[in-house]
Amino acid sequence: MSLKNLTEPVEPVEARMESVTHRMADSPDVIEEAELRDLAGYWAGKRQDGNLPSRRSIDPIEIGWALNRIYITERVEDPTRWRYVLAGEQIEQAFRRNSLRGIGLDEILSPEAFRTVCLRWQPLDEGRAVYMRGQIYKAADRYVPGARLMLPLSDDGARVTGMIGMSLTYFGDSPVANVPLQLWSIAL
């Protein structure tokens, strides 16, 4: 399995955007990718007294190994509006942008794709993680196979006000190249 630059073409597969069903999991044991498990461990180490970690507690320097593949978003006004605070180089390349900082998710996705993403991210509202494997997104008119983990953040320890995520993208000999999207909602 090799990680490559996101500018390489990917053969399109059927999009399954009309329905979103999360499998439920009570632990992060369902996460197959070591780097995503490492991010979950880092996030768990930032929790205090069982509360969700805050965005301020996340120090990108501490997760330098993941910096080019992580993103941090914040909620703005409407609970379904997410704005990028930080996006690693591979995330920006996926959307063919020089920077995503300050850009809302609704500004880079079609209305249909935005609705689907909001449904996929919905478990974050309940303080649950979201884990995906397969065709994790369609960006810049191409399907991207890989795996993704999104973890909720909170300014007050309870109400979700942001999220840290990491996307691993695979090309070539990929275990998920033609796998339909699989979604898990994970209690942490």
Side-chain angles (χ1 to χ4, degrees):
M1 169 179 355
S2 64
L3 291 172
K4 292 189 180 177
N5 191 312
L6 285 174
T7 58
E8 293 187 24
V10 176
E11 290 298 317
V13 297
E14 276 299 306
R16 303 183 196 284
M17 297 184 73
E18 54 287 334
S19 67
V20 175
T21 303
H22 292 87
R23 297 175 186 174
M24 302 299 278
D26 292 327
S27 77
D29 294 344
V30 297
I31 301 171
E32 294 187 28
E33 297 76 15
E35 290 171 291
L36 297 181
R37 284 193 307 269
D38 290 346
L39 182 64
Y42 172 79
W43 177 90
K46 295 296 181 177
R47 294 185 86 162
Q48 294 182 356
D49 301 322
N51 291 322
L52 297 173
S54 70
R55 192 177 92 205
R56 289 180 306 279
S57 69
I58 304 298
D59 183 352
I61 301 300
E62 295 175 345
I63 49 177
W65 52 269
L67 214 44
N68 66 337
R69 293 159 290 161
I70 65 166
Y71 46 97
I72 297 175
T73 64
E74 64 183 355
R75 282 195 150 153
V76 181
E77 303 159 15
D78 181 342
T80 60
R81 184 141 198 275
W82 297 87
R83 181 173 55 202
Y84 285 92
V85 174
L86 173 103
E89 182 181 353
Q90 285 189 13
I91 306 304
E92 290 174 341
Q93 285 177 352
F95 290 101
R96 296 190 174 144
R97 298 265 184 158
N98 290 332
S99 175
L100 287 172
R101 185 179 178 92
I103 304 290
L105 194 60
D106 57 325
E107 297 175 62
I108 57 174
L109 298 175
S110 71
E112 178 186 327
F114 179 69
R115 281 189 299 277
T116 299
V117 168
C118 287
L119 290 172
R120 289 178 183 173
W121 292 18
Q122 200 166 32
L124 292 166
D125 293 338
E126 301 161 9
R128 297 177 68 92
V130 176
Y131 169 58
M132 304 177 185
R133 289 189 92 237
Q135 301 294 330
I136 58 173
Y137 57 83
K138 180 180 178 185
D141 297 322
R142 59 209 161 108
Y143 291 91
V144 181
R148 171 181 295 151
L149 179 65
M150 298 178 294
L151 300 154
L153 300 173
S154 174
D155 291 338
D156 65 8
R159 187 176 58 87
V160 176
T161 56
M163 178 263 293
I164 181 170
M166 181 176 181
S167 295
L168 304 176
T169 52
Y170 305 108
F171 298 92
D173 185 23
S174 165
V176 294
N178 295 306
V179 173
L181 181 66
Q182 301 168 346
L183 291 162
W184 284 266
S185 171
I186 306 171
L188 298 170

